[in-house]
Amino acid sequence: MNLFDITGRKAIVTGGTRGLGYGMAEGLMEAGAEVVIFGSNAKVNNVAEQFCEKGFKCHGVEVDLKNREDRRKAFYEGLELLGGTIDILVNSAGIQRRHKSETFPLSDWDDVIEVNLTATFELCQLAGREMLKVGYGKIINIASMISFFGGMTIPAYAASKGGVSQITKALCNEWAGRGINVNAIAPGYMDTDMNTALTDPSNPRFKEITNRIPQHRWGTPNDMKGCCIFLSSHASDYINGAIIPVDGGYLVM
């Protein structure tokens, strides 16, 4: 079990105030890591305080991931809070916009690509520079089922998550031989705020999707914890460039 021990490891988790990011941040702290969570508003400090009240080591950093200067500043603020070192980066923050492709606004396209793809790459780059100094690090990007298929009315999200998958592979090719593992988790259909419209039982898509999932249920933030801890630990030292579905079997139906 020592292979899975991440006690004392230093981590940054974006989107850590709710949903999947919250679940993974909590899982890392339950496994002994010290975590900085990034959030888009002042709520991040309240969430960090709540984690601390549970006995975890947690810090909050407010950041607008659409703003390039702000996210660089946030990264170095988080690094300082962790004592100047980072062992684990989890790029979980993401946004969604839905429109028919023929009317999809370019302003929404720009926002989705900036947050989901460009911010993911830049934070990988910033963390990678620190990790390369010591020859060790674990980077976990959050891809999607939409990394494998196109979806409907979400062209920007599909493009961004396809890009996250490819960035993960590209960084693996350059950094795997230098001590950094870069992998991605591809969540299936998850019962989170982003999917509120789909999880409405009156929506025909809810029953259709649920029936296709072999486990016959949607995922939860808790379902992300195990894979995240695994990819953050020495147990995954020879896993690189992988896109791992956590989907209840959806992809194989």
Side-chain angles (χ1 to χ4, degrees):
M1 293 304 296
N2 289 339
L3 283 173
F4 297 90
D5 185 12
I6 58 171
T7 302
R9 295 295 186 186
K10 313 284 189 176
I12 290 177
V13 180
T14 70
T17 61
R18 60 193 180 99
L20 304 185
Y22 181 98
M24 288 184 286
E26 183 176 57
L28 292 175
M29 285 182 275
E30 288 170 343
E34 179 178 359
V35 177
V36 170
I37 55 173
F38 283 7
S40 60
N41 54 50
K43 175 186 174 183
V44 67
N45 295 311
N46 295 330
V47 174
E49 288 175 9
Q50 291 166 11
F51 277 131
C52 290
E53 288 169 1
K54 295 179 181 180
F56 299 135
K57 291 183 178 180
C58 186
H59 317 273
V61 174
E62 184 178 351
V63 55
D64 177 7
L65 288 176
K66 292 194 301 293
N67 185 307
R68 297 183 179 190
E69 182 178 349
D70 197 35
R71 68 181 179 237
R72 290 173 198 138
K73 178 182 176 183
F75 175 80
Y76 286 110
E77 181 180 345
L79 189 66
E80 184 176 356
L81 288 167
L82 293 172
T85 61
I86 178 171
D87 303 298
I88 302 159
L89 171 68
V90 181
N91 278 309
S92 180
I95 61 173
Q96 177 65 284
R97 299 287 186 270
R98 291 183 179 272
H99 307 279
K100 291 182 178 180
S101 292
E102 63 267 29
T103 58
F104 202 96
L106 284 180
S107 58
D108 280 356
W109 172 277
D110 289 342
D111 286 348
V112 172
I113 296 297
E114 188 68 36
V115 172
N116 294 5
L117 183 57
T118 308
T120 291
F121 171 69
E122 184 172 30
L123 289 170
C124 285
Q125 189 179 59
L126 293 171
R129 290 170 183 165
E130 299 302 317
M131 294 171 175
L132 287 169
K133 293 175 184 177
V134 296
Y136 178 82
K138 302 283 187 173
I139 294 176
I140 304 166
N141 294 324
I142 303 304
S144 169
M145 292 293 96
I146 304 300
S147 297
F148 300 96
F149 50 81
M152 297 282 287
T153 70
I154 53 169
Y157 189 81
S160 71
K161 291 303 183 177
V164 167
S165 175
Q166 291 303 102
I167 283 174
T168 298
K169 296 171 187 178
L171 296 179
C172 157
N173 290 340
E174 294 192 47
W175 294 347
R178 301 164 73 186
I180 301 177
N181 296 82
V182 188
N183 294 290
I185 302 173
Y189 284 94
M190 295 284 171
D191 189 0
T192 63
D193 292 346
M194 186 179 287
N195 288 322
T196 300
L198 285 175
T199 54
D200 181 349
S202 65
N203 187 333
R205 283 281 288 151
F206 175 74
K207 184 176 181 181
E208 177 186 334
I209 292 166
T210 306
N211 287 342
R212 179 174 163 173
I213 301 170
Q215 280 193 245
H216 307 300
R217 69 172 178 85
W218 288 49
T220 70
N222 280 342
D223 290 315
M224 299 289 287
K225 290 181 179 180
C227 192
C228 184
I229 293 168
F230 168 63
L231 291 176
S232 299
S233 72
H234 284 300
S236 62
D237 280 354
Y238 200 59
I239 296 177
N240 234 313
I243 316 299
I244 302 176
V246 176
D247 66 348
Y250 183 91
L251 275 179
V252 298
M253 270 298 280

